[in-house]
Amino acid sequence: MTRLSIIVVERDRDRALKIVDGLMASGDHNVVVIAEETGLARRIADQKPDIVLIDVADPSHDVLEDLALASGPMERPVAMFVDRSDERHSARDGRISLAGAGPGAADLLTVRALRCLQQADIVFFDRLVEPEVLALAQPQARRVFVGKEVGAHSWPQERIDAAIVAAVLQGLHVVRLKSGDPSIFGRAAEEIAAAHAHGIDIEVIPGITSASAAAASLCQPLTERGVTDRVVLATATCRPGEAMSDLRDLARPCTTLVFYMAMQQLDRLSRSLVAAGVAPDHAVTIAANVSRATGRSLDTTLARMADDSAAAGILNPALVILHLRKPGDPVAFHGVAGGANLGAFVGVVWPV
């Protein structure tokens, strides 16, 4: 996997060249060099003709366009240079607001996230950020789509990191807008690390995560006194080639399990949960497009959830929710008591 390495160079060109040589020789790094002086930067570039030069200090260049065109699939090293003595940069330092956009509905955005959008110079946004949320940014703000889909990463993470760094070094207020809460399966750690690597200020603004929004939309609390006393948020999609985590420690009574990014793993998830001791006929709720106008939910069972969701045409973004209640406690579908004919409700799609 290609890793982004950011090097901050002050005066020591020889040391910088040695570090760049080492990283490039390993074959799995994309190098970003931040030089304190433009003259020094160009001397480094002269020694490294394979490096794509992007001069952040030159306001006439569209750094983000340069980065996208020059790096392609990040096959060549990228060097971004900024003269920190330049008054344009010392007058107003760039900064990053890593903000959660919430589950979809614009009125579920936090006040702090809204304030940042209204002050942003540039907004990098994900695929699941709704147009109504994006429209809340100030009209002058540039909007850059950096969304990813499974198997189609036109903006791999290392390019996103480099683009954010480039914008901040131009003195811009960057808002990195992620759906849900950025700290929950949002790969926030990588963008925080890229900022911290060279002293860029970053603020993380939490958002309403989909699990909370689904519980509200369904009127199914994630916890219930004396019935479920813990909540586990898990992902069913791991890194390519990685096996799904062992679920035996998670699938315990009195637990609500919420699985993100599970729709392409339903068969595998069902088998893993059954192996962990959950009954095949255990009640499952799948909630899709939570808080959006297209929101739907499906009541099904663990054994039938893959077939039922396929028949109903339910796709991502969706959550898989199981309430592993206290032994002997009745199960409920949308508030229907366990003593009722639950079979009549299995496979039914409900509006959310």
Side-chain angles (χ1 to χ4, degrees), residues 119-352:
Q119 297 171 350
D121 297 309
I122 186 167
V123 180
F124 293 91
F125 65 97
D126 282 347
R127 178 175 60 91
L128 295 179
V129 174
E130 288 288 290
E132 291 80 6
V133 174
L134 200 61
L136 297 173
Q138 65 165 325
Q140 298 84 358
R142 181 173 178 183
R143 294 152 172 83
V144 181
F145 173 69
V146 293
K148 303 193 223 35
E149 294 189 53
V150 176
H153 293 1
S154 59
W155 274 87
Q157 189 62 48
E158 66 269 11
R159 183 186 292 179
I160 296 173
D161 296 340
I164 290 173
V165 168
V168 172
L169 292 176
Q170 286 189 302
L172 303 180
H173 179 191
V174 174
V175 171
R176 176 69 173 101
L177 195 60
K178 292 175 173 282
S179 62
D181 185 307
S183 296
I184 299 177
F185 306 121
R187 299 187 70 170
E190 294 163 71
E191 290 168 27
I192 292 170
H196 287 171
H198 51 285
I200 292 177
D201 291 335
I202 184 167
E203 173 191 22
V204 180
I205 303 171
I208 296 176
T209 191
S210 295
S212 296
S217 296
L218 297 169
C219 293
Q220 291 185 8
L222 296 175
T223 62
E224 184 177 349
R225 186 179 182 186
V227 178
T228 49
D229 55 17
R230 70 172 184 164
V231 178
V232 175
L233 306 182
T235 177
T237 300
C238 307
R239 291 176 178 174
E242 285 189 0
M244 184 176 291
S245 300
D246 190 337
L247 301 180
R248 285 175 294 183
D249 288 338
L250 304 182
R252 295 179 177 178
C254 304
T255 303
T256 297
L257 293 175
V258 183
F259 291 94
Y260 290 63
M261 296 172 283
M263 295 308 293
Q264 296 184 19
Q265 306 289 338
L266 291 180
D267 282 326
R268 186 179 174 193
L269 179 61
S270 177
R271 291 194 301 269
S272 296
L273 286 169
V274 169
V278 183
D281 62 350
H282 193 91
V284 173
T285 297
I286 298 178
N289 290 304
V290 175
S291 86
R292 295 174 169 88
T294 55
R296 296 191 298 164
S297 72
L298 169 69
D299 286 329
T300 181
T301 66
L302 192 57
R304 291 179 51 172
M305 64 180 182
D307 290 339
D308 285 349
S309 63
I314 294 181
L315 304 172
N316 280 319
L319 301 171
V320 176
I321 306 171
L322 296 85
H323 297 279
L324 306 182
R325 306 165 77 89
K326 183 182 296 185
D329 200 74
V331 179
F333 280 115
H334 278 281
V336 180
N341 179 16
L342 294 181
F345 294 92
V346 173
V348 174
V349 177
W350 306 77
V352 175

